[in-house]
Amino acid sequence: MTDDASPVVESRSVLDGLRKDAPGEGDDVPEASSKNPEKPRKRRLLRRLVIVTVLVLAMVVAAAFALVMERQISLNGNIERIPGAFPEDAGRPVKAVGDAQNWLLIGSDKRPGESGNQRADTIMIVHVPAARDRLTLIGIPRDSYVPIPGHGNNKINAAYAFGGPKLLIKTIEGLTKVRIDHFAALDFQGFVEMSKVVGGVDVYVSRKVYDPMNKVTWPQGMVHLEGEKALLFVRQRYNLPGGDFDRIKRQQAFVGALGHKIISKDLLTNPFKLNDFLEALTHAVSVDSGVTLSTLRDLALELRNIRPETVDSATIPTLGTGTVKGASVVRLDKKEGARFFEAVRNDSLGEYFKDNGGLDDLQIVS
């Protein structure tokens, strides 16, 4: 039997004390625990709060990413792709210099491939320079009298009726020697829906004009265009002082005003409005099969600094109107047109307009 004061008892007491004081596996090592025993507990609570917060944020980010991806997939699915939109490569013009792009944009009552007579009411080349610092909308009068491969001479919009996007692109490339990189067709009903979403746009009309086909009078001054009213405005053809040329200006003015609304904070910061606009746009547009979601996303990012004042509008050089077999046509200026289209090919439209003029004034339209 050992004595309470024996060395063995003292050793055991010391060891027990060390075991009690030693930190266990996974425990925090207390700092000055004798002074503040609450510190280890607070640290453990803080660590747990941090872990929970990180997990919640991760779930929110994952949910947001999933929502964005779902919307991208859904919007991408709305866009109709047109197979075989381009003619065979043999004989086509060379691509524009650098990273410049040329998109052919048309407006029509019917989507490509739909039955019935299809005519391109709006024909524009959208030139995207390599610098991505401006855009140029180049209007081509629908009544331009041109050679259409396999169909003789006719109004250029007849090419779309005869052979869809492929023949129209072939006709325009043969006429301009400008290679078309992408094709987009906008169903005119899309004008109606998009103008509704943005709350309409305003343009200034220089003089009172009556539309005899639709029995609509456009007063002089600011005119608010929304819904069907917007469609009637961009489509009016008869009784305009400049005929088809004024029609092109109207269309370009509407597109410019719509673009101004699209990049406004009111639309971009309102997720519901933005979603409605993208739904309307993607349901109304058809593009060539080479246009992917990445194509559109990358181009949108590259053009993020484009503003209304950096969008130019022009019409291809013409010699005025004439008559062929009783039909009114627009005659093209081949000599000046050659210089103009050379500037498009060389991505030097800025220099061309500086030296020769030719930009359309869209502040006031007829």
Side-chain angles (χ1 to χ4, degrees), residues 112-137:
E114 286 185 0
S115 60
N117 189 31
Q118 293 177 300
R119 294 256 173 177
D121 275 0
T122 302
I123 306 175
M124 291 185 192
I125 295 176
V126 182
H127 178 71
V128 185
R132 302 297 194 261
D133 56 348
R134 302 192 74 84
L135 286 178
T136 305
L137 310 180

PDB file of all heavy atoms in Angstrom, residues 112-137:
ATOM      1  N   PRO A 112     -37.856  32.689 -93.744  1.00  0.00           N
ATOM      2  CA  PRO A 112     -37.299  31.885 -94.837  1.00  0.00           C
ATOM      3  C   PRO A 112     -37.874  30.467 -94.827  1.00  0.00           C
ATOM      4  O   PRO A 112     -37.959  29.832 -93.781  1.00  0.00           O
ATOM      5  CB  PRO A 112     -35.798  31.876 -94.532  1.00  0.00           C
ATOM      6  CG  PRO A 112     -35.570  33.114 -93.758  1.00  0.00           C
ATOM      7  CD  PRO A 112     -36.806  33.300 -92.922  1.00  0.00           C
ATOM      8  N   GLY A 113     -38.291  30.009 -95.997  1.00  0.00           N
ATOM      9  CA  GLY A 113     -38.815  28.655 -96.089  1.00  0.00           C
ATOM     10  C   GLY A 113     -40.312  28.555 -95.980  1.00  0.00           C
ATOM     11  O   GLY A 113     -40.905  27.519 -96.323  1.00  0.00           O
ATOM     12  N   GLU A 114     -40.985  29.624 -95.510  1.00  0.00           N
ATOM     13  CA  GLU A 114     -42.441  29.572 -95.412  1.00  0.00           C
ATOM     14  C   GLU A 114     -43.049  29.645 -96.809  1.00  0.00           C
ATOM     15  O   GLU A 114     -42.488  30.251 -97.725  1.00  0.00           O
ATOM     16  CB  GLU A 114     -42.962  30.725 -94.563  1.00  0.00           C
ATOM     17  CG  GLU A 114     -42.701  30.553 -93.080  1.00  0.00           C
ATOM     18  CD  GLU A 114     -43.342  31.648 -92.254  1.00  0.00           C
ATOM     19  OE1 GLU A 114     -43.980  32.536 -92.845  1.00  0.00           O
ATOM     20  OE2 GLU A 114     -43.200  31.600 -91.026  1.00  0.00           O
ATOM     21  N   SER A 115     -44.199  29.014 -96.973  1.00  0.00           N
ATOM     22  CA  SER A 115     -44.854  28.975 -98.274  1.00  0.00           C
ATOM     23  C   SER A 115     -45.380  30.355 -98.648  1.00  0.00           C
ATOM     24  O   SER A 115     -45.619  31.213 -97.799  1.00  0.00           O
ATOM     25  CB  SER A 115     -46.005  27.966 -98.241  1.00  0.00           C
ATOM     26  OG  SER A 115     -46.960  28.328 -97.256  1.00  0.00           O
ATOM     27  N   GLY A 116     -45.585  30.541 -99.922  1.00  0.00           N
ATOM     28  CA  GLY A 116     -46.098  31.815-100.400  1.00  0.00           C
ATOM     29  C   GLY A 116     -44.993  32.692-100.962  1.00  0.00           C
ATOM     30  O   GLY A 116     -43.815  32.432-100.778  1.00  0.00           O
ATOM     31  N   ASN A 117     -45.400  33.724-101.668  1.00  0.00           N
ATOM     32  CA  ASN A 117     -44.449  34.625-102.293  1.00  0.00           C
ATOM     33  C   ASN A 117     -43.710  35.437-101.231  1.00  0.00           C
ATOM     34  O   ASN A 117     -44.320  36.122-100.423  1.00  0.00           O
ATOM     35  CB  ASN A 117     -45.180  35.566-103.258  1.00  0.00           C
ATOM     36  CG  ASN A 117     -44.214  36.368-104.092  1.00  0.00           C
ATOM     37  OD1 ASN A 117     -43.127  35.903-104.396  1.00  0.00           O
ATOM     38  ND2 ASN A 117     -44.609  37.572-104.469  1.00  0.00           N
ATOM     39  N   GLN A 118     -42.392  35.347-101.222  1.00  0.00           N
ATOM     40  CA  GLN A 118     -41.586  36.050-100.238  1.00  0.00           C
ATOM     41  C   GLN A 118     -40.834  37.196-100.901  1.00  0.00           C
ATOM     42  O   GLN A 118     -40.147  37.006-101.894  1.00  0.00           O
ATOM     43  CB  GLN A 118     -40.578  35.105 -99.579  1.00  0.00           C
ATOM     44  CG  GLN A 118     -41.218  34.030 -98.725  1.00  0.00           C
ATOM     45  CD  GLN A 118     -40.175  33.093 -98.158  1.00  0.00           C
ATOM     46  OE1 GLN A 118     -39.452  32.448 -98.896  1.00  0.00           O
ATOM     47  NE2 GLN A 118     -40.098  33.018 -96.839  1.00  0.00           N
ATOM     48  N   ARG A 119     -40.985  38.370-100.333  1.00  0.00           N
ATOM     49  CA  ARG A 119     -40.260  39.535-100.838  1.00  0.00           C
ATOM     50  C   ARG A 119     -39.537  40.193 -99.671  1.00  0.00           C
ATOM     51  O   ARG A 119     -40.087  40.298 -98.574  1.00  0.00           O
ATOM     52  CB  ARG A 119     -41.225  40.527-101.482  1.00  0.00           C
ATOM     53  CG  ARG A 119     -41.879  39.983-102.744  1.00  0.00           C
ATOM     54  CD  ARG A 119     -41.271  40.595-103.982  1.00  0.00           C
ATOM     55  NE  ARG A 119     -41.793  39.957-105.191  1.00  0.00           N
ATOM     56  CZ  ARG A 119     -41.477  40.336-106.416  1.00  0.00           C
ATOM     57  NH1 ARG A 119     -40.635  41.329-106.595  1.00  0.00           N
ATOM     58  NH2 ARG A 119     -41.961  39.729-107.456  1.00  0.00           N
ATOM     59  N   ALA A 120     -38.329  40.627 -99.910  1.00  0.00           N
ATOM     60  CA  ALA A 120     -37.546  41.296 -98.873  1.00  0.00           C
ATOM     61  C   ALA A 120     -37.876  42.781 -98.912  1.00  0.00           C
ATOM     62  O   ALA A 120     -37.438  43.500 -99.801  1.00  0.00           O
ATOM     63  CB  ALA A 120     -36.061  41.062 -99.100  1.00  0.00           C
ATOM     64  N   ASP A 121     -38.685  43.253 -97.969  1.00  0.00           N
ATOM     65  CA  ASP A 121     -39.072  44.659 -97.934  1.00  0.00           C
ATOM     66  C   ASP A 121     -37.925  45.548 -97.474  1.00  0.00           C
ATOM     67  O   ASP A 121     -37.852  46.712 -97.848  1.00  0.00           O
ATOM     68  CB  ASP A 121     -40.268  44.848 -96.995  1.00  0.00           C
ATOM     69  CG  ASP A 121     -41.584  44.567 -97.713  1.00  0.00           C
ATOM     70  OD1 ASP A 121     -41.535  44.239 -98.897  1.00  0.00           O
ATOM     71  OD2 ASP A 121     -42.650  44.671 -97.085  1.00  0.00           O
ATOM     72  N   THR A 122     -37.078  45.021 -96.619  1.00  0.00           N
ATOM     73  CA  THR A 122     -35.919  45.763 -96.111  1.00  0.00           C
ATOM     74  C   THR A 122     -34.659  44.978 -96.420  1.00  0.00           C
ATOM     75  O   THR A 122     -34.591  43.784 -96.119  1.00  0.00           O
ATOM     76  CB  THR A 122     -36.018  45.965 -94.584  1.00  0.00           C
ATOM     77  OG1 THR A 122     -37.229  46.649 -94.276  1.00  0.00           O
ATOM     78  CG2 THR A 122     -34.832  46.755 -94.060  1.00  0.00           C
ATOM     79  N   ILE A 123     -33.669  45.617 -97.030  1.00  0.00           N
ATOM     80  CA  ILE A 123     -32.396  44.966 -97.329  1.00  0.00           C
ATOM     81  C   ILE A 123     -31.275  45.884 -96.849  1.00  0.00           C
ATOM     82  O   ILE A 123     -31.173  47.031 -97.302  1.00  0.00           O
ATOM     83  CB  ILE A 123     -32.226  44.679 -98.837  1.00  0.00           C
ATOM     84  CG1 ILE A 123     -33.419  43.879 -99.383  1.00  0.00           C
ATOM     85  CG2 ILE A 123     -30.925  43.930 -99.098  1.00  0.00           C
ATOM     86  CD1 ILE A 123     -33.384  43.666-100.896  1.00  0.00           C
ATOM     87  N   MET A 124     -30.475  45.406 -95.931  1.00  0.00           N
ATOM     88  CA  MET A 124     -29.363  46.197 -95.400  1.00  0.00           C
ATOM     89  C   MET A 124     -28.122  45.330 -95.261  1.00  0.00           C
ATOM     90  O   MET A 124     -28.215  44.162 -94.895  1.00  0.00           O
ATOM     91  CB  MET A 124     -29.672  46.760 -94.003  1.00  0.00           C
ATOM     92  CG  MET A 124     -30.723  47.811 -93.921  1.00  0.00           C
ATOM     93  SD  MET A 124     -30.836  48.436 -92.212  1.00  0.00           S
ATOM     94  CE  MET A 124     -32.371  49.361 -92.320  1.00  0.00           C
ATOM     95  N   ILE A 125     -26.969  45.921 -95.550  1.00  0.00           N
ATOM     96  CA  ILE A 125     -25.693  45.319 -95.175  1.00  0.00           C
ATOM     97  C   ILE A 125     -25.241  46.035 -93.898  1.00  0.00           C
ATOM     98  O   ILE A 125     -25.144  47.265 -93.870  1.00  0.00           O
ATOM     99  CB  ILE A 125     -24.624  45.491 -96.272  1.00  0.00           C
ATOM    100  CG1 ILE A 125     -25.032  44.725 -97.532  1.00  0.00           C
ATOM    101  CG2 ILE A 125     -23.265  44.997 -95.781  1.00  0.00           C
ATOM    102  CD1 ILE A 125     -24.075  44.914 -98.721  1.00  0.00           C
ATOM    103  N   VAL A 126     -25.006  45.283 -92.859  1.00  0.00           N
ATOM    104  CA  VAL A 126     -24.495  45.853 -91.612  1.00  0.00           C
ATOM    105  C   VAL A 126     -22.990  45.581 -91.580  1.00  0.00           C
ATOM    106  O   VAL A 126     -22.562  44.437 -91.450  1.00  0.00           O
ATOM    107  CB  VAL A 126     -25.173  45.235 -90.383  1.00  0.00           C
ATOM    108  CG1 VAL A 126     -24.647  45.888 -89.103  1.00  0.00           C
ATOM    109  CG2 VAL A 126     -26.693  45.387 -90.475  1.00  0.00           C
ATOM    110  N   HIS A 127     -22.211  46.659 -91.730  1.00  0.00           N
ATOM    111  CA  HIS A 127     -20.750  46.514 -91.742  1.00  0.00           C
ATOM    112  C   HIS A 127     -20.216  46.680 -90.322  1.00  0.00           C
ATOM    113  O   HIS A 127     -20.436  47.707 -89.669  1.00  0.00           O
ATOM    114  CB  HIS A 127     -20.104  47.552 -92.659  1.00  0.00           C
ATOM    115  CG  HIS A 127     -18.605  47.482 -92.688  1.00  0.00           C
ATOM    116  ND1 HIS A 127     -17.923  46.446 -93.307  1.00  0.00           N
ATOM    117  CD2 HIS A 127     -17.654  48.301 -92.157  1.00  0.00           C
ATOM    118  CE1 HIS A 127     -16.627  46.640 -93.163  1.00  0.00           C
ATOM    119  NE2 HIS A 127     -16.429  47.739 -92.460  1.00  0.00           N
ATOM    120  N   VAL A 128     -19.518  45.646 -89.843  1.00  0.00           N
ATOM    121  CA  VAL A 128     -18.905  45.656 -88.513  1.00  0.00           C
ATOM    122  C   VAL A 128     -17.398  45.776 -88.702  1.00  0.00           C
ATOM    123  O   VAL A 128     -16.752  44.824 -89.141  1.00  0.00           O
ATOM    124  CB  VAL A 128     -19.234  44.368 -87.726  1.00  0.00           C
ATOM    125  CG1 VAL A 128     -18.684  44.455 -86.304  1.00  0.00           C
ATOM    126  CG2 VAL A 128     -20.735  44.103 -87.717  1.00  0.00           C
ATOM    127  N   PRO A 129     -16.809  46.936 -88.412  1.00  0.00           N
ATOM    128  CA  PRO A 129     -15.369  47.115 -88.650  1.00  0.00           C
ATOM    129  C   PRO A 129     -14.523  46.275 -87.706  1.00  0.00           C
ATOM    130  O   PRO A 129     -14.992  45.854 -86.641  1.00  0.00           O
ATOM    131  CB  PRO A 129     -15.155  48.609 -88.406  1.00  0.00           C
ATOM    132  CG  PRO A 129     -16.242  48.988 -87.455  1.00  0.00           C
ATOM    133  CD  PRO A 129     -17.419  48.133 -87.817  1.00  0.00           C
ATOM    134  N   ALA A 130     -13.292  46.049 -88.088  1.00  0.00           N
ATOM    135  CA  ALA A 130     -12.388  45.244 -87.262  1.00  0.00           C
ATOM    136  C   ALA A 130     -12.179  45.877 -85.893  1.00  0.00           C
ATOM    137  O   ALA A 130     -12.024  45.175 -84.889  1.00  0.00           O
ATOM    138  CB  ALA A 130     -11.042  45.074 -87.972  1.00  0.00           C
ATOM    139  N   ALA A 131     -12.202  47.210 -85.830  1.00  0.00           N
ATOM    140  CA  ALA A 131     -11.981  47.908 -84.557  1.00  0.00           C
ATOM    141  C   ALA A 131     -13.175  47.784 -83.619  1.00  0.00           C
ATOM    142  O   ALA A 131     -13.045  48.054 -82.421  1.00  0.00           O
ATOM    143  CB  ALA A 131     -11.672  49.379 -84.808  1.00  0.00           C
ATOM    144  N   ARG A 132     -14.332  47.413 -84.147  1.00  0.00           N
ATOM    145  CA  ARG A 132     -15.560  47.257 -83.353  1.00  0.00           C
ATOM    146  C   ARG A 132     -15.951  48.562 -82.655  1.00  0.00           C
ATOM    147  O   ARG A 132     -16.599  48.532 -81.614  1.00  0.00           O
ATOM    148  CB  ARG A 132     -15.411  46.148 -82.312  1.00  0.00           C
ATOM    149  CG  ARG A 132     -15.071  44.771 -82.868  1.00  0.00           C
ATOM    150  CD  ARG A 132     -16.191  44.247 -83.773  1.00  0.00           C
ATOM    151  NE  ARG A 132     -16.066  42.824 -84.052  1.00  0.00           N
ATOM    152  CZ  ARG A 132     -15.536  42.304 -85.158  1.00  0.00           C
ATOM    153  NH1 ARG A 132     -15.065  43.122 -86.110  1.00  0.00           N
ATOM    154  NH2 ARG A 132     -15.480  41.003 -85.345  1.00  0.00           N
ATOM    155  N   ASP A 133     -15.567  49.698 -83.251  1.00  0.00           N
ATOM    156  CA  ASP A 133     -15.862  50.985 -82.628  1.00  0.00           C
ATOM    157  C   ASP A 133     -17.038  51.698 -83.274  1.00  0.00           C
ATOM    158  O   ASP A 133     -17.506  52.717 -82.759  1.00  0.00           O
ATOM    159  CB  ASP A 133     -14.626  51.888 -82.663  1.00  0.00           C
ATOM    160  CG  ASP A 133     -14.092  52.086 -84.083  1.00  0.00           C
ATOM    161  OD1 ASP A 133     -14.530  51.347 -84.996  1.00  0.00           O
ATOM    162  OD2 ASP A 133     -13.230  52.969 -84.274  1.00  0.00           O
ATOM    163  N   ARG A 134     -17.525  51.196 -84.409  1.00  0.00           N
ATOM    164  CA  ARG A 134     -18.684  51.794 -85.080  1.00  0.00           C
ATOM    165  C   ARG A 134     -19.460  50.685 -85.784  1.00  0.00           C
ATOM    166  O   ARG A 134     -18.982  49.555 -85.927  1.00  0.00           O
ATOM    167  CB  ARG A 134     -18.261  52.832 -86.122  1.00  0.00           C
ATOM    168  CG  ARG A 134     -17.423  53.975 -85.608  1.00  0.00           C
ATOM    169  CD  ARG A 134     -17.307  55.086 -86.638  1.00  0.00           C
ATOM    170  NE  ARG A 134     -18.545  55.858 -86.752  1.00  0.00           N
ATOM    171  CZ  ARG A 134     -18.846  56.875 -85.934  1.00  0.00           C
ATOM    172  NH1 ARG A 134     -18.019  57.221 -84.970  1.00  0.00           N
ATOM    173  NH2 ARG A 134     -19.967  57.560 -86.095  1.00  0.00           N
ATOM    174  N   LEU A 135     -20.643  51.037 -86.234  1.00  0.00           N
ATOM    175  CA  LEU A 135     -21.429  50.172 -87.109  1.00  0.00           C
ATOM    176  C   LEU A 135     -21.925  51.035 -88.260  1.00  0.00           C
ATOM    177  O   LEU A 135     -22.217  52.219 -88.081  1.00  0.00           O
ATOM    178  CB  LEU A 135     -22.636  49.568 -86.377  1.00  0.00           C
ATOM    179  CG  LEU A 135     -22.399  48.453 -85.367  1.00  0.00           C
ATOM    180  CD1 LEU A 135     -23.728  48.048 -84.725  1.00  0.00           C
ATOM    181  CD2 LEU A 135     -21.745  47.254 -86.020  1.00  0.00           C
ATOM    182  N   THR A 136     -22.039  50.445 -89.446  1.00  0.00           N
ATOM    183  CA  THR A 136     -22.602  51.165 -90.582  1.00  0.00           C
ATOM    184  C   THR A 136     -23.749  50.355 -91.164  1.00  0.00           C
ATOM    185  O   THR A 136     -23.564  49.198 -91.560  1.00  0.00           O
ATOM    186  CB  THR A 136     -21.551  51.423 -91.686  1.00  0.00           C
ATOM    187  OG1 THR A 136     -20.431  52.095 -91.121  1.00  0.00           O
ATOM    188  CG2 THR A 136     -22.138  52.288 -92.787  1.00  0.00           C
ATOM    189  N   LEU A 137     -24.937  50.962 -91.186  1.00  0.00           N
ATOM    190  CA  LEU A 137     -26.113  50.346 -91.811  1.00  0.00           C
ATOM    191  C   LEU A 137     -26.182  50.842 -93.247  1.00  0.00           C
ATOM    192  O   LEU A 137     -26.359  52.039 -93.486  1.00  0.00           O
ATOM    193  CB  LEU A 137     -27.391  50.731 -91.052  1.00  0.00           C
ATOM    194  CG  LEU A 137     -27.395  50.535 -89.535  1.00  0.00           C
ATOM    195  CD1 LEU A 137     -28.747  50.963 -88.957  1.00  0.00           C
ATOM    196  CD2 LEU A 137     -27.109  49.082 -89.185  1.00  0.00           C
TER     197      LEU A 137
END
